[in-house]
Amino acid sequence: MRRLVYLLILAVGCGYVFFDRPLEALCLMMGAYITWQWLQLYRLHRWLDQGQTTVLPRTLGIWGAIFTENQRLQQSNIKHQQRLQAIINRIQDSTAALQDSVLMVDASGALEFWNQAAQNYLGLRNPVDIGQPITNLIRTPEFKAYFDKADYQEPLTIRSPINPRIYLQFNITLFGRKDRLILIHDITRLKQLEEMRKDFVANVSHELRTPLTVIAGYVETMQAASEMLPPRWGRMLQQMSEQSHRMENLLKDLLMLSRLETGKTEQPQPIELQPLLEAIRRDAASLSSSKHTITLTIDQDQKMMGFYNELRSAFSNLVFNAVKYTPEGGDVTLRWYTEGGKGHFSVSDNGIGIAQHHIPRLTERFYRADPSRSIATGGTGLGLAIVKHVLLHHDGELKISSIEGKGSTFTCVFPAACLSDNRDEADQ
């Protein structure tokens, strides 16, 4: 501004002294000054349009500061972009080295990025498949339903779309504006080991049933003729009989677990709940030998679609456990009720209870909260594992609440889709 004022004063002075026309001289100076400003603006535009590849133009005044500051900002921006690109390249190199697949999908389900492992497992093609909906590239119905549901608490296991012998486990995480990060693991080896374990348990259980039945039969025959044997043999035969029956129960539970794991082909049937629960209550009373108070409450007479033998086995396991682990004179309460549209079967007792740190592991096979008590009661350690698998087979869940020394409550929860009201059916 100071320079501009000096130029205007000089123009007016020169015009007055030399030409006696100060106004014309002032206008001429303003025109020259505006022309020079437009020239500098044009040089700046051309320099920016060329991408700063040419030498920085030299000029005076505020335009020189503008050129210099713009160049400094551009160089800083270039360095920042280079750092970001280096980070992106490093991330891409690290994900490319992973054996597990990594995919990035936007909110609409279009593929944005994947590594080499994903290309090998899913048959993706770069760059043809970039921007394609992932459900068009992985056409398995289970994956589409899982992806659209957007509930990714549990992983999904399916076969590879390009190699049916490979099992893939999908773990999806939401981030940003409903974008998705998909991690895929090859669990073929684990699947094979699981199948081998199931086959081994099933085969061994079947193979052991015949020799065990023969042994138990001979023991019973010898017990029937125990008066002809030395007295000390009676105790030996009694122990042999108890252990053979315990082994039979273990094999029976193992076979039940094997059948539950391998799945069912028959269709579920409508089951009258009241007769089933009444039969279980009578069995529990017989097991208790009148040492406990066992009560059954049915809030609503209903039917349930399911598998009778499985449900009877699951309910009986819960009720018999309550009887076994409740001291004489204790109470065992069985109740069927509906809440929130779902069916509930609860077994409550005022027995020894279970410590809180045991509860998360109770449904594991052969897990015992107190091994000494389980051995004393003849338990196999598979009862609650059977209950869990039966409930999974019926789309249900098991809830456990317990206070050590005060008792426990085991509740089976079934979805509303499995239930029907007998009175409604009668009206129809």
Side-chain angles (χ1 to χ4, degrees), residues 124 143 183 382 384:
L124 302 179
F143 176 79
L183 300 178
L382 295 173
L384 291 180

Side-chain angles (χ1 to χ4, degrees), residues 27-43 63:
C27 291
L28 183 62
M29 177 59 70
M30 290 297 297
Y33 183 77
I34 292 173
T35 302
W36 184 82
Q37 295 290 344
W38 276 102
L39 177 62
Q40 302 307 314
L41 186 61
Y42 169 74
R43 296 175 68 192
W63 284 105

Side-chain angles (χ1 to χ4, degrees), residues 125-191:
R125 297 171 298 168
N126 190 16
V128 178
D129 292 332
I130 291 180
Q132 295 293 323
I134 189 171
T135 51
N136 289 351
L137 302 173
I138 306 177
R139 298 179 178 272
T140 307
E142 295 86 354
F143 176 79
K144 178 172 175 52
Y146 178 74
F147 186 85
D148 293 340
K149 187 179 179 182
D151 181 9
Y152 306 131
Q153 294 183 357
E154 296 294 331
L156 171 70
T157 300
I158 59 174
R159 295 177 183 269
S160 168
I162 61 173
N163 189 350
R165 294 178 297 178
I166 297 178
Y167 286 88
L168 302 176
Q169 184 182 79
F170 289 74
N171 293 271
I172 303 180
T173 302
L174 291 172
F175 71 97
R177 298 183 177 180
K178 294 187 177 180
D179 296 335
R180 295 170 176 88
L181 177 65
I182 304 177
L183 300 178
I184 305 175
H185 309 279
D186 182 359
I187 60 168
T188 306
R189 179 63 176 167
L190 292 177
K191 203 72 175 176

Side-chain angles (χ1 to χ4, degrees), residues 350-361:
N350 57 355
I352 60 176
I354 305 168
Q356 291 299 312
H357 67 276
H358 289 302
I359 291 178
R361 300 190 58 191

Side-chain angles (χ1 to χ4, degrees), residues 216-264:
Y218 279 119
V219 170
E220 290 178 1
T221 302
M222 295 175 69
Q223 281 183 311
S226 58
E227 65 276 1
M228 302 175 58
L229 300 174
R232 63 192 183 99
W233 281 44
R235 185 184 175 201
M236 296 169 55
L237 292 174
Q238 181 63 29
Q239 290 182 343
M240 292 171 64
S241 177
E242 292 174 355
Q243 295 302 318
S244 64
H245 282 94
R246 184 179 176 188
M247 183 65 74
E248 287 178 353
N249 292 333
L250 178 61
L251 290 179
K252 181 179 68 175
D253 289 348
L254 285 173
L255 288 172
M256 170 67 79
L257 271 177
S258 178
R259 286 194 296 269
L260 291 172
E261 290 179 338
T262 53
K264 296 284 183 178

Side-chain angles (χ1 to χ4, degrees), residues 270-277 301-304 308 422 425:
I271 300 171
E272 294 279 357
L273 290 173
Q274 184 168 353
L276 171 62
L277 299 179
D301 187 16
Q302 290 181 306
K303 286 183 180 180
M304 188 174 79
Y308 182 87
N422 286 344
E425 291 183 359

